[in-house]
Amino acid sequence: MQQNFESKVHLLKNATYPGRGIIIGQTPGSGQFVQVYWIMGRSENSRNRVFVAEGTSVKTDLVDRSKVEDASLILYHPVKVINRCHIVTNGDQTDTIYESIRDETLFETALNTRSFEPDAPNFTPRISGLVDLDDDRNAYQLCVIKTISNRPDYCTRQYFNYETAVPGIGHCITTYTDDGDPLPPFCGEPFTVELFDDIEATANFYWNVLNEDNRVSLLVKFIDAGTGAWELKIVNKY
């Protein structure tokens, strides 16, 4: 770990249900950007999922289609690539960002058109991240879109732009801080966590950090900062 950077991975370890989460940062050796994304589930509907690689993207898919209650918020592409832009989100705003980049507009422009999820009473935050290897202003970006005081008539969009990546450090955002009724949304700035030079070690570390009963699927993506080549590791519970 870099001096003066504290790992707050205990915020994940101590939470029964942080929900979905994104980490973006850089390996200790500085050669790779890292994206980590996971999903968790309390209900049978939410747990009935796996990650499946599909070309340059990843999709959520069903384990047992006979158990589906409502697929509207559980099936989407959390990961997509366009040009040298690597998108990761917790919902169908992946497509909104993809289309915005295709049309040569900004990450922020795309997400300014979106709101939190319409799943009362939780109004789950939309969390999103971007690594654009051609962006000379930002190493990576994160965004949290959520309600104010759990009221559906108030929306806040919080953008976090990281000009320079710190070797060995990732920034983490989650949908919730822990379990609850309604679920308490993420608050504050993205918190720092450790990253590793090995994709398997990264996947194993964060899979084991998450609550064993509620974790569902996790992916880790390494992106070569120079060439743009990337590799993917997926872990599914089911």
Side-chain angles (χ1 to χ4, degrees):
M1 293 288 290
Q2 292 285 318
Q3 189 176 4
N4 299 325
F5 283 87
E6 177 188 3
S7 173
K8 296 184 178 179
V9 75
H10 64 272
L11 297 176
L12 298 175
K13 286 182 178 178
N14 296 339
T16 303
Y17 195 68
R20 288 165 275 176
I22 293 172
I23 300 168
I24 302 184
Q26 194 174 60
T27 57
S30 305
Q32 306 279 335
F33 284 106
V34 181
Q35 293 180 329
V36 183
Y37 177 66
W38 66 81
I39 57 175
M40 304 182 79
R42 298 183 302 172
S43 69
E44 187 174 42
N45 194 49
S46 293
R47 292 177 176 179
N48 183 32
R49 291 181 292 172
V50 290
F51 286 157
V52 177
E54 186 179 63
T56 60
S57 66
V58 175
K59 67 178 181 180
T60 58
D61 206 353
L62 301 171
V63 179
D64 185 345
R65 295 185 181 276
S66 68
K67 295 181 179 180
V68 177
E69 298 171 12
D70 179 6
S72 62
L73 294 175
I74 64 170
L75 296 182
Y76 55 91
H77 288 84
V79 167
K80 280 193 172 182
V81 181
I82 179 170
N83 304 326
R84 281 161 54 89
C85 299
H86 296 261
I87 306 162
V88 55
T89 89
N90 73 325
D92 65 9
Q93 72 269 27
T94 304
D95 300 325
T96 308
I97 298 167
Y98 183 98
E99 291 160 7
S100 180
I101 293 170
R102 182 195 61 197
D103 296 339
E104 300 184 349
T105 54
L106 300 175
F107 179 72
E108 294 92 334
T109 303
L111 291 171
N112 282 344
T113 69
R114 300 304 303 268
S115 184
F116 43 81
E117 294 184 353
D119 59 337
N122 296 311
F123 303 110
T124 298
R126 290 191 187 272
I127 57 174
S128 307
L130 178 69
V131 172
D132 180 353
L133 296 176
D134 292 328
D135 186 350
D136 57 8
R137 301 162 304 160
N138 303 296
Y140 53 91
Q141 298 172 273
L142 291 165
C143 175
V144 179
I145 304 175
K146 62 179 186 176
T147 67
I148 299 174
S149 300
N150 209 53
R151 292 183 56 179
D153 46 342
Y154 293 103
C155 178
T156 177
R157 298 177 181 86
Q158 301 168 341
Y159 296 98
F160 304 92
N161 298 331
Y162 296 89
E163 186 175 299
T164 306
V166 181
I169 298 295
H171 286 95
C172 180
I173 53 178
T174 57
T175 50
Y176 316 118
T177 57
D178 206 341
D179 210 343
D181 187 20
L183 289 158
F186 180 84
C187 62
E189 293 188 14
F191 56 89
T192 52
V193 295
E194 60 262 52
L195 293 174
F196 310 96
D197 281 316
D198 181 77
I199 194 169
E200 294 275 353
T202 305
N204 289 338
F205 180 81
Y206 282 100
W207 183 250
N208 289 321
V209 160
L210 298 174
N211 180 272
E212 185 176 359
D213 292 333
N214 293 322
R215 66 191 182 190
V216 173
S217 294
L218 177 143
L219 66 85
V220 179
K221 190 177 188 181
F222 273 27
I223 307 157
D224 190 285
T227 67
W230 55 272
E231 61 177 319
L232 182 71
K233 172 67 179 179
I234 291 174
V235 181
N236 289 313
K237 185 172 185 177
Y238 302 109

